[in-house]
Amino acid sequence: MADTQVGVLSCSGEEFLGGTIVRLATRKVMEELRTDKVVTLCLPLYIAGGDEEREFAKTYPVIAVDGCSKSCARIATLKYSGEVRDTIVLSDLFGEDVVLSNIVSARDLKPEHYEMVDKVAVEICKKMDAILAE
Ligand code: SF4
């Protein structure tokens, strides 16, 4: 399984704190915690994309990481590519009222928000490791 990669598809909600947190957490996993093990796509490109993008979840086991219970990344993956191996929804971790609070960009984040990023990144890594260990 050494060469196996896991697809991590995060939602792209820019209007809510949850969307910002999932994007930063996915990036942290990709760039720091599990380099070379993550394949990811920009969700809007995925939704707008052609066959190559739509092959994403057919090629890689996918973890959908969503900023709130609307679960845009999970729904898009199910609709366009098929199976979702696991999911993370930030409202389950922090509460819907927190993830839908109105902080928009990474510029406005406070230390407690970066702690949330770290927690989500760890959750992604746990799920990735479980898939990679199969
Ligand atoms: S899951 Fe929630 S935060 Fe993410 S894009 Fe959808 S509505 Fe926005």
Side-chain angles (χ1 to χ4, degrees), residues 11-16 18-19 43 66-73 100:
C11 83
S12 58
E14 302 222 344
E15 71 276 39
F16 299 129
L43 184 62
D66 278 303
C68 77
S69 62
K70 291 192 192 308
S71 297
C72 299
L100 294 181

